[in-house]
Amino acid sequence: MLTKGQLHLIFHNNYNQGDILMIFAIIVWTIYSIIGRKTKNIPPIAATSVSVIFALIMLLPMIAVNGSDFNLNLSHQALIGILYMGMFPSVCSFIFWNISLRHIDASKAGIYLNLITVFTAIIGLILGKSISVVQVVGGVLVFMGVYLTSMKVKARKGKVEQIPGETFKI
C-alpha cells in the first residue's frame, strides 16, 4: 500500500510517525502471536496477564519521559467507559486471541483481524456517524477477502481438491 506495488520504493518514501508506529505494532503483534502459539500449556488468562505486566513495564519509561497528567475527577459515565474498554476490547480480546491460537495457526486467526475496521465503521454507523461509499466498498471487499481466504483454508482441509484434468484425495 505504501509503495503502490513498487517494492523498491520502500526505502525511498518519507514515512510519518504514524506509519512507523503501525509497522512496529505489526511486527510486535506478529512476535506476540508466534510466542502465543508456542505456549499451549500456559492458561490463556496467565498468558494475557504476563503480557499486560510486560506491556506496563515497557510503558513506564514513556510515562517517566513524557510525564502524566491524570485527572482523577472522572464522571460516572467516563469511569464506566474506561472500565468497559479495559475489560472487553482489551482483556477479553487478548484472552480470546490466546484461546484461538491453541486451536488454529496465527496466520489463520489473523485473517479475521481485518474485520476490526469494518465492525468499527458499523458501530460508528449505529452510533449516528456517517459512512462514505468508499468505506462501504472497502468493507464489502474485506468481507469478501475474509470469506474467500477462509474458504480456501477449508478447501485445503476438504476431501477433494480439483486440479485441471485431475482429482486427488487429500
Side-chain angles (χ1 to χ4, degrees), residues 44 66 86 93 96 111 116 137 162:
N66 295 319
S93 64
F96 292 141
I111 294 166
I116 291 172
V137 171
Q162 186 67 35

Side-chain angles (χ1 to χ4, degrees), residues 92-112:
C92 290
S93 64
F94 278 101
I95 290 171
F96 292 141
W97 178 259
N98 287 328
I99 290 170
S100 71
L101 289 179
R102 281 146 177 63
H103 301 285
I104 60 175
D105 290 336
S107 61
K108 293 175 187 169
I111 294 166
Y112 298 97

Side-chain angles (χ1 to χ4, degrees), residues 4 26 32 47 53 74 88 93 97 99 103 108 110 118 122 164:
K4 298 179 179 127
I26 291 167
Y32 176 81
I53 291 168
L74 299 174
F88 294 105
S93 64
W97 178 259
I99 290 170
H103 301 285
K108 293 175 187 169
V118 177
I122 291 170

Side-chain angles (χ1 to χ4, degrees), residues 123-136:
I123 291 169
L125 185 64
I126 291 168
L127 295 174
K129 304 293 181 189
S130 62
I131 288 185
S132 69
V133 174
V134 172
Q135 289 173 311
V136 171

Side-chain angles (χ1 to χ4, degrees), residues 51-158:
S51 67
V52 166
I53 291 168
F54 183 71
L56 287 173
I57 292 169
M58 296 295 291
L59 289 174
L60 283 176
M62 301 299 172
I63 293 172
V65 170
N66 295 319
S68 63
D69 185 20
F70 291 111
N71 183 0
L72 299 177
N73 210 2
L74 299 174
S75 69
H76 181 67
Q77 187 177 11
L79 189 58
I80 290 173
I82 290 170
L83 290 173
Y84 173 83
M85 288 188 316
M87 189 61 185
F88 294 105
S90 298
V91 174
C92 290
S93 64
F94 278 101
I95 290 171
F96 292 141
W97 178 259
N98 287 328
I99 290 170
S100 71
L101 289 179
R102 281 146 177 63
H103 301 285
I104 60 175
D105 290 336
S107 61
K108 293 175 187 169
I111 294 166
Y112 298 97
L113 291 176
N114 295 302
L115 294 172
I116 291 172
T117 54
V118 177
F119 286 118
T120 302
I122 291 170
I123 291 169
L125 185 64
I126 291 168
L127 295 174
K129 304 293 181 189
S130 62
I131 288 185
S132 69
V133 174
V134 172
Q135 289 173 311
V136 171
V137 171
V140 168
L141 290 173
V142 168
F143 271 117
M144 287 173 43
V146 169
Y147 174 76
L148 291 173
T149 307
S150 63
M151 289 291 96
K152 186 177 178 181
V153 169
K154 287 181 183 178
R156 287 183 192 154
K157 292 182 178 180

